[in-house]
Amino acid sequence: MTEFYSDTIGLPKTDPRLWRLRTDELGRESWEYLTPQQAANDPPSTFTQWLLQDPKFPQPHPERNKHSPDFSAFDACHNGASFFKLLQEPDSGIFPCQYKGPMFMTIGYVAVNYIAGIEIPEHERIELIRYIVNTAHPVDGGWGLHSVDKSTVFGTVLNYVILRLLGLPKDHPVCAKARSTLLRLGGAIGSPHWGKIWLSALNLYKWEGVNPAPPETWLLPYSLPMHPGRWWVHTRGVYIPVSYLSLVKFSCPMTPLLEELRNEIYTKPFDKINFSKNRNTVCGVDLYYPHSTTLNIANSLVVFYEKYLRNRFIYSLSKKKVYDLIKTELQNTDSLCIAPVNQAFCALVTLIEEGVDSEAFQRLQYRFKDALFHGPQGMTIMGTNGVQTWDCAFAIQYFFVAGLAERPEFYNTIVSAYKFLCHAQFDTECVPGSYRDKRKGAWGFSTKTQGYTVADCTAEAIKAIIMVKNSPVFSEVHHMISSERLFEGIDVLLNLQNIGSFEYGSFATYEKIKAPLAMETLNPAEVFGNIMVEYPYVECTDSSVLGLTYFHKYFDYRKEEIRTRIRIAIEFIKKSQLPDGSWYGSWGICFTYAGMFALEALHTVGETYENSSTVRKGCDFLVSKQMKDGGWGESMKSSELHSYVDSEKSLVVQTAWALIALLFAEYPNKEVIDRGIDLLKNRQEESGEWKFESVEGVFNHSCAIEYPSYRFLFPIKALGMYSRAYETHTL
Amino acid sequence: MNRKVAIVTGTNSNLGLNIVFRLIETEDTNVRLTIVVTSRTLPRVQEVINQIKDFYNKSGRVEDLEIDFDYLLVDFTNMVSVLNAYYDINKKYRAINYLFVNAAQGIFDGIDWIGAVKEVFTNPLEAVTNPTYKIQLVGVKSKDDMGLIFQANVFGPYYFISKILPQLTRGKAYIVWISSIMSDPKYLSLNDIELLKTNASYEGSKRLVDLLHLATYKDLKKLGINQYVVQPGIFTSHSFSEYLNFFTYFGMLCLFYLARLLGSPWHNIDGYKAANAPVYVTRLANPNFEKQDVKYGSATSRDGMPYIKTQEIDPTGMSDVFAYIQKKKLEWDEKLKDQIVETRTPI
């Protein structure tokens, strides 16, 4: 069992043998801590055993491994798949994982419970503390935006406050060190916008020092280009409850602990701080995206309006409008909201409006657990309620691509994942008036319950389902989803393509663009870029192409239109290539990720290294980044800097991405590919596992997030593709 | 392809940026050069990288030199921040090939306009070569309880060098300390090495840089590291223009050109010429022949041609300074010895 920093400093921990993950057919994940008596009659899943390093985990011992002579790519692929199979929850079909990385999610859970006067259960409290302690910076003891970041005010103040609210004393070495770093960075006064909001709600800051988020904007006609209903889904998802809190300027009652905290997190006495002068004070280390002058002027005008011009009638009207929108968000997602960030803000508003004992607040309490995930380092709130749909779609596809899916030993794996995908398709529309597009027929990123359409998840799910439906081996489950339901998915997907003047041919993640790009000048977040409108992404366009080309191959539905849509999407992908041959990735780290998707999409329309200069440039870029040991590795600084930055050593996941790209491109130099494949084989444990090495994903350019299934899925795909291309073996 | 790593502190300054430009122009062919940009804040890192990319794309080196980037957020007035920078470098790089110490912090409090006007009229050449009318605060300490300018420009960078010595040794590195034309012995009192009692702490720090170089370059040479001290002459930089408006800036520029016309070799005026000496010593000087106990200066002739001009350095006080700094280094080694802990176990 791994020893963590929390162990070395004697922090208490729970008994890993007593935790159980509960999942259901819709993919909900929640953790339960049992008594020893209960645990004796309730054996853990193999996933739980693996995750929590239970010695009883049935470690595979394949006949051939990296030490065997003639250990083939197919052997490695099969070993990897056999291991990964054990990480599936057979009843629900999902591959659970601790989708962690962001260090600003847990504050919502802890703060809302604190404000509501609800005590967090002891087993959770212990593990929440452990996770934060085990992600502190090794040198200065602070926290950043994400779990492997440099220390920032945002990360440090929020996690410091969490530790204190959970009972860690201020003179605890972890707290003392973190506080020193916080004060070195200038103290909480330099926190970005979201941090100031949480601090204000906790009565640790003053609302006059927070830039305004006027709810009156929701009263404007939707036809106005700047209406917030036209903003990017995540941004407006946060703006709805934040504008309510900004209106009522809620702060919880003062407590002795909060009084202490006020004295701890600032460089000067709380009473001597002029908060209104610090609306735009953000520590330079935190400041990824400085405000535009336009926004600063707009904020000053709104502050003036709030102080002198806002009247009672408008106040009440805005408040009601916003709270109604919160209720529709809760209805559309069964209280999950789009992500834990806005879920926590919505919960706080619900607490204010309805009270701690209300049904609405209780439902939110129940749903908090969907994103509260346990792991060996401790417990944390994930980036969403999970990665269920995305991982299932990839698992099915890659087992097929690798030639594994139809093998009897993987039959149940495929069937379970397929059943989950069939259940995960959206079967209802959103509540009218919630500024949401048609969603029936689409797939989300995580679960049906969460209810937000995602373009590439829809496309990849459709592709995976077609693969299963095309295979006679799985004829018994073909009936579970009809072609008509796939057509509905295609309808939603086609609706997501930008076919107007903006980035013609591209796909965004959640919606087509609805607001002008100029809205980005009003971005208040400081730590995230490109969040005001729905931007197109190379990877989403690539995945959508993969889904559409696959569908187009097997169905006649909207056939001519789909061909046109594919062509214009491919043109967008080509136009998005940077002069050096790379594509910038927005959801994975970084150029290897986007390059893989782009080259796969180009492959589906017949473009290869031999016949396409786009593909040649793309491959040559990737090959130029190959490391001495044959692998590839990228630091998440690539995403921050928009420029390729090597990681400390090569990484399995990015190596797999690069290899998949080169294999799809039919890159002619086999030696380059061989060296990468050898690395994947050598990095694999004898059991078939690939150990975690580094963060795989990213969002909004600056925040890293882990995708634990990637280190199995992409190597399986790369090794399988290589094996089919270069190895002769009997199936 | 040969991998090389260059760390340029103060990359976001006019001089730092031009050092990178010249490095790109003069680096060997078939090299992949990683430029580690440093700043105290991230937005400046991105700006700098974009400027460097623009320069590179127009430079004619796209075909035979590959560049990529990394960054360090470091504040040399904070020893934990310096240790952070060491930690990041140590984790990632096996070898460092270039280190340009371009620390030019000063605590200025405006311009003594009366003094400036008087000096311009009585001694115009001196006024634009050795200006003394920038008002500097006296006695400012860092939160580490050290003279702020001493720490920012001398001790912080020196401590960083001592920590990454293994990487510098493996890379057979060039270390280049950026000094100044204004580093006369008169600016430093050996009774005030931390520059807390002087109103010329900036100039004093550059004097310390000169002496520190003289005290250390021979030992570094034994490790295969070539260290030089250089000065960029007089050029436009951001720290000065902060106090000038359009008219006074233009006036200053006129005076600079006048000085050059009157025979001053040090008025480089633009950052590109100012960066000549720093890159000369790494790319053009022959370490087997060129002296290391002199200061290499970026110079420009009357008709605008850049050249290198060396100056002797008065070694008086070198031993005292070095002993003081070494003692302080040991103090901080002790203070920071338990600072790094293994918190982030990957799993």
Side-chain angles (χ1 to χ4, degrees):
Chain A
M1 177 146 309
T2 308
E3 188 187 44
F4 294 98
Y5 180 61
S6 60
D7 302 317
T8 68
I9 61 172
L11 277 183
K13 65 189 284 187
T14 58
D15 186 338
R17 296 168 300 177
L18 304 184
W19 286 97
R20 297 292 181 270
L21 178 66
R22 306 303 187 198
T23 66
D24 66 20
E25 70 170 19
L26 290 183
R28 182 177 194 246
E29 300 165 342
S30 61
W31 285 92
E32 191 176 355
Y33 192 63
L34 307 179
T35 65
Q37 295 72 37
Q38 291 168 321
N41 297 308
D42 190 343
S45 63
T46 51
F47 167 78
T48 301
Q49 288 175 319
W50 168 76
L51 180 74
L52 300 182
Q53 303 184 311
D54 189 334
K56 292 196 179 92
F57 173 71
Q59 194 88 327
H61 294 95
E63 193 176 318
R64 302 169 66 76
N65 59 48
K66 65 185 175 183
H67 303 300
S68 307
D70 302 318
F71 180 55
S72 69
F74 185 77
D75 291 331
C77 178
H78 192 278
N79 291 356
S82 297
F83 193 100
F84 187 61
K85 178 172 97 166
L86 296 172
L87 307 186
Q88 187 183 40
E89 289 285 324
D91 291 341
S92 59
I94 63 173
F95 299 88
C97 65
Q98 196 179 29
Y99 180 51
K100 60 182 159 74
M103 295 301 297
F104 53 90
M105 302 284 178
T106 301
I107 183 64
Y109 179 66
V110 173
V112 170
N113 277 292
Y114 185 83
I115 292 168
I118 293 168
E119 198 157 320
I120 286 173
E122 183 67 3
H123 55 277
E124 285 182 16
R125 191 186 71 85
I126 286 169
E127 294 297 333
L128 287 165
I129 289 174
R130 280 187 67 242
Y131 182 81
I132 291 172
V133 169
N134 287 329
T135 49
H137 193 281
V139 182
D140 63 29
W143 295 271
L145 198 59
H146 53 90
S147 54
V148 291
D149 200 15
K150 59 202 167 285
S151 297
T152 63
V153 170
F154 188 45
T156 303
V157 69
L158 292 186
N159 287 284
Y160 179 85
V161 165
I162 291 169
L163 290 180
R164 298 281 286 114
L165 294 181
L166 292 178
L168 219 61
K170 83 175 189 182
D171 53 7
H172 189 282
V174 168
C175 289
K177 195 174 182 183
R179 188 168 59 250
S180 172
T181 289
L182 176 60
L183 299 182
R184 166 173 73 85
L185 292 169
I189 206 72
S191 180
H193 192 227
W194 286 7
K196 284 173 168 156
I197 293 166
W198 277 118
L199 294 174
S200 296
L202 285 164
N203 214 338
L204 297 174
Y205 193 87
K206 285 186 183 295
W207 281 101
E208 67 214 44
V210 184
N211 276 312
E216 286 89 338
T217 49
W218 292 102
L219 301 177
L220 299 170
Y222 182 71
S223 54
L224 283 189
M226 63 174 289
H227 189 279
R230 297 178 171 277
W231 299 356
W232 191 46
V233 285
H234 279 283
T235 302
R236 70 178 194 250
V238 170
Y239 189 77
I240 295 170
V242 162
S243 64
Y244 179 104
L245 295 170
S246 178
L247 181 75
V248 307
K249 303 203 189 307
F250 173 85
S251 288
C252 71
M254 183 57 58
T255 66
L257 176 54
L258 295 177
E259 197 75 61
E260 282 183 45
L261 273 164
R262 282 183 168 192
N263 290 325
E264 294 168 21
I265 61 177
Y266 294 101
T267 56
K268 59 197 220 189
F270 187 89
D271 293 340
K272 293 205 164 34
I273 297 168
N274 184 334
F275 288 94
S276 63
K277 282 189 155 60
N278 285 284
R279 283 192 290 108
N280 295 321
T281 302
V282 179
C283 176
V285 176
D286 289 69
L287 190 64
Y288 283 76
Y289 296 96
H291 288 171
S292 66
T293 303
T294 303
L295 178 59
N296 288 340
I297 292 170
N299 281 338
S300 295
L301 292 175
V302 175
V303 167
F304 182 87
Y305 161 78
E306 286 186 344
K307 221 167 177 183
Y308 301 111
L309 301 178
R310 177 182 270 159
N311 65 52
R312 232 28 235 185
F313 175 73
I314 294 293
Y315 178 105
S316 300
L317 208 60
S318 311
K319 187 161 171 270
K320 181 178 191 302
K321 173 69 175 181
V322 166
Y323 186 53
D324 284 346
L325 286 173
I326 287 171
K327 286 191 276 190
T328 62
E329 168 77 340
L330 298 181
Q331 283 177 271
N332 289 332
T333 63
D334 192 356
S335 296
L336 279 170
C337 304
I338 189 170
V341 172
N342 77 314
Q343 183 192 38
F345 286 132
C346 287
L348 183 51
V349 174
T350 302
L351 175 65
I352 294 164
E353 285 279 332
E354 311 275 357
V356 64
D357 295 321
S358 65
E359 185 180 346
F361 188 73
Q362 292 298 311
R363 190 66 182 170
L364 281 151
Q365 286 287 99
Y366 169 77
R367 283 298 183 196
F368 273 155
K369 309 298 183 177
D370 292 36
L372 183 63
F373 209 94
H374 188 38
Q377 291 158 296
M379 203 165 210
T380 190
I381 296 283
M382 296 192 289
T384 64
N385 63 321
V387 199
Q388 297 88 329
T389 294
W390 187 239
D391 280 348
C392 278
F394 278 159
I396 291 171
Q397 287 190 34
Y398 296 172
F399 274 52
F400 271 99
V401 166
L404 299 170
E406 292 172 328
R407 290 180 163 240
E409 63 267 30
F410 299 118
Y411 177 86
N412 288 332
T413 304
I414 300 298
V415 167
S416 294
Y418 172 81
K419 284 181 179 178
F420 172 76
L421 279 189
C422 293
H423 287 314
Q425 188 183 29
F426 297 162
D427 51 15
T428 61
E429 294 295 356
C430 293
V431 174
S434 43
Y435 303 110
R436 294 280 299 275
D437 292 341
K438 170 180 164 54
R439 72 176 178 182
K440 188 165 180 282
W443 278 263
F445 178 73
S446 52
T447 61
K448 174 161 71 175
T449 315
Q450 192 263 355
Y452 271 87
T453 299
V454 178
D456 46 357
C457 296
T458 299
E460 298 284 3
I462 287 172
K463 183 176 178 183
I465 287 167
I466 293 172
M467 284 178 168
V468 175
K469 281 170 78 68
N470 280 355
S471 168
V473 168
F474 299 101
S475 56
E476 284 183 16
V477 292
H478 286 175
H479 69 280
M480 288 192 68
I481 188 165
S482 65
S483 297
E484 285 67 36
R485 283 175 57 190
L486 293 183
F487 298 167
E488 286 184 69
I490 289 291
D491 290 343
V492 177
L493 184 58
L494 291 177
N495 253 359
L496 289 168
Q497 190 174 27
N498 290 306
I499 52 177
S501 58
F502 173 71
E503 301 284 28
Y504 183 67
S506 66
F507 285 82
T509 311
Y510 297 93
E511 296 173 340
K512 273 191 300 196
I513 188 170
K514 296 171 166 175
L517 285 178
M519 288 302 300
E520 200 61 40
T521 60
L522 299 180
N523 174 1
E526 295 133 359
V527 294
F528 300 120
N530 290 3
I531 61 162
M532 293 304 291
V533 300
E534 183 74 62
Y535 273 83
Y537 299 101
V538 167
E539 311 99 285
C540 295
T541 306
D542 296 327
S543 278
S544 298
V545 164
L546 300 182
L548 288 174
T549 52
Y550 210 77
F551 179 87
H552 183 261
K553 186 174 172 186
Y554 294 104
F555 292 91
D556 287 334
Y557 183 73
R558 297 177 74 170
K559 199 168 185 81
E560 283 308 307
E561 183 181 5
I562 288 173
R563 177 183 296 122
T564 299
R565 299 301 193 93
I566 291 167
R567 178 176 55 76
I568 65 177
I570 290 288
E571 281 164 9
F572 169 78
I573 292 164
K574 289 178 162 181
K575 200 176 67 174
S576 301
Q577 191 180 38
L578 296 167
D580 61 6
S582 67
W583 284 271
Y584 178 79
S586 299
W587 300 104
I589 295 169
C590 171
F591 295 94
T592 42
Y593 182 75
M596 168 191 67
F597 275 108
L599 291 171
E600 181 169 357
L602 292 169
H603 165 80
T604 65
V605 294
E607 302 212 8
T608 64
Y609 193 88
E610 186 184 350
N611 68 21
S612 166
S613 66
T614 303
V615 172
R616 276 194 294 280
K617 284 171 67 184
C619 290
D620 291 344
F621 173 85
L622 289 174
V623 171
S624 76
K625 304 304 181 188
Q626 190 175 27
M627 294 166 119
K628 281 187 165 71
D629 64 2
W632 280 259
E634 265 189 273
S635 160
M636 78 83 57
K637 286 178 173 177
S638 290
S639 302
E640 290 175 334
L641 299 183
H642 296 247
S643 184
Y644 195 102
V645 179
D646 272 350
S647 51
E648 291 147 32
K649 63 179 180 64
S650 64
L651 302 168
V652 159
V653 172
Q654 277 134 9
T655 299
W657 289 341
L659 290 170
I660 289 164
L662 296 176
L663 287 164
F664 273 123
E666 296 173 33
Y667 184 72
N669 185 344
K670 181 170 180 288
E671 194 254 332
V672 164
I673 296 173
D674 284 352
R675 293 175 61 228
I677 291 291
D678 285 345
L679 186 113
L680 293 185
K681 288 155 75 180
N682 288 330
R683 285 286 170 85
Q684 191 182 49
E685 304 287 314
E686 290 169 26
S687 61
E689 183 180 16
W690 286 278
K691 297 289 194 184
F692 173 79
E693 293 174 333
S694 189
V695 183
E696 304 87 357
V698 64
F699 59 92
N700 298 121
H701 315 288
S702 56
C703 191
I705 191 158
E706 294 174 25
Y707 286 79
S709 298
Y710 279 10
R711 66 185 196 264
F712 296 96
L713 291 168
F714 289 105
I716 286 166
K717 180 175 182 178
L719 291 160
M721 289 178 66
Y722 177 88
S723 177
R724 298 184 100 160
Y726 293 110
E727 290 178 346
T728 54
H729 61 272
T730 54
L731 201 77
Chain B
M1 183 162 273
N2 197 13
R3 294 294 299 267
K4 286 192 181 181
V5 180
I7 300 175
V8 183
T9 75
T11 332
N12 55 329
S13 67
N14 189 9
L15 182 65
L17 206 48
N18 279 284
I19 286 171
V20 174
F21 292 168
R22 282 185 173 268
L23 199 58
I24 286 170
E25 285 184 337
T26 58
E27 184 56 86
D28 292 336
T29 58
N30 211 39
V31 162
R32 180 172 164 189
L33 178 68
T34 298
I35 300 161
V36 182
V37 171
T38 77
S39 179
R40 276 192 273 176
T41 70
L42 205 67
R44 283 297 295 157
V45 167
Q46 188 68 68
E47 266 179 63
V48 165
I49 286 174
N50 288 338
Q51 287 174 277
I52 295 169
K53 279 182 177 178
D54 282 347
F55 178 88
Y56 170 74
N57 287 329
K58 295 167 184 158
S59 68
R61 295 301 309 270
V62 172
E63 295 302 318
D64 63 5
L65 170 74
E66 203 180 312
I67 64 169
D68 61 5
F69 299 95
D70 197 343
Y71 71 83
L72 285 176
L73 295 187
V74 57
D75 174 1
F76 283 109
T77 68
N78 183 282
M79 297 310 292
V80 170
S81 181
V82 174
L83 195 68
N84 252 325
Y86 149 73
Y87 180 82
D88 287 341
I89 292 293
N90 188 54
K91 213 165 31 128
K92 176 145 190 205
Y93 295 107
R94 207 189 153 273
I96 303 290
N97 305 89
Y98 304 102
L99 173 63
F100 294 89
V101 185
N102 175 35
Q105 197 163 322
I107 323 168
F108 300 110
D109 194 29
I111 292 174
D112 171 13
W113 285 106
I114 294 175
V117 171
K118 188 182 299 182
E119 193 166 27
V120 165
F121 279 105
T122 58
N123 193 346
L125 200 52
E126 182 72 4
V128 291
T129 306
N130 292 292
T132 55
Y133 39 79
K134 285 184 190 175
I135 300 169
Q136 297 185 58
L137 297 180
V138 176
V140 182
K141 281 188 170 183
S142 71
K143 290 201 169 63
D144 290 330
D145 200 38
M146 221 182 295
L148 189 84
I149 298 307
F150 165 76
Q151 187 179 7
N153 295 350
V154 186
F155 185 72
Y158 174 76
Y159 194 83
F160 179 64
I161 287 170
S162 71
K163 297 297 287 186
I164 64 168
L165 214 48
Q167 279 85 0
L168 295 168
T169 303
R170 275 182 222 115
K172 296 194 189 308
Y174 289 92
I175 297 174
V176 181
W177 286 88
I178 312 297
S179 180
S180 170
I181 191 170
M182 299 181 65
S183 62
D184 287 2
K186 70 185 180 188
Y187 293 117
L188 175 69
S189 161
L190 293 182
N191 294 316
D192 182 30
I193 290 177
E194 292 199 23
L195 308 166
L196 287 165
K197 298 170 190 152
T198 173
N199 64 357
S201 53
Y202 175 84
E203 293 85 347
S205 72
K206 295 305 177 179
R207 172 64 178 158
L208 285 169
V209 163
D210 291 353
L211 293 179
L212 186 59
H213 166 68
L214 291 183
T216 57
Y217 78 87
K218 284 174 183 167
D219 284 337
L220 291 170
K221 182 88 173 181
K222 290 171 189 167
L223 300 176
I225 296 166
N226 289 299
Q227 179 175 270
Y228 293 92
V229 64
V230 305
Q231 58 96 351
I234 305 292
F235 65 102
T236 56
S237 68
H238 311 306
S239 67
F240 207 39
S241 47
E242 184 185 347
Y243 298 107
L244 302 177
N245 58 39
F246 173 81
F247 297 102
T248 50
Y249 181 82
F250 186 70
M252 180 193 75
L253 222 51
C254 286
L255 287 174
F256 280 2
Y257 278 105
L258 178 63
R260 184 194 280 178
L261 210 53
L262 292 176
S264 163
W266 302 124
H267 283 78
N268 299 300
I269 304 177
D270 75 68
Y272 183 76
K273 289 188 167 79
N276 190 13
V279 177
Y280 171 85
V281 294
T282 62
R283 301 298 313 147
L284 296 171
N286 185 323
N288 294 316
F289 297 100
E290 303 269 9
K291 301 169 72 177
Q292 284 177 270
D293 61 352
V294 296
K295 186 187 302 185
Y296 289 80
S298 303
T300 303
S301 67
R302 190 172 306 188
D303 59 352
M305 295 298 294
Y307 65 103
I308 303 295
K309 184 177 166 74
T310 59
Q311 297 165 289
E312 298 295 323
I313 306 170
D314 180 348
T316 307
M318 176 184 89
S319 300
D320 293 339
V321 162
F322 187 55
Y324 186 95
I325 288 173
Q326 276 294 82
K327 180 166 175 278
K328 188 157 280 286
K329 175 192 176 303
L330 294 177
E331 267 175 42
W332 277 96
D333 281 344
E334 179 64 23
K335 280 184 192 177
L336 295 172
K337 72 180 199 297
D338 295 319
Q339 186 74 28
I340 300 179
V341 290
E342 288 310 319
T343 51
R344 293 175 173 172
T345 304
I347 187 159

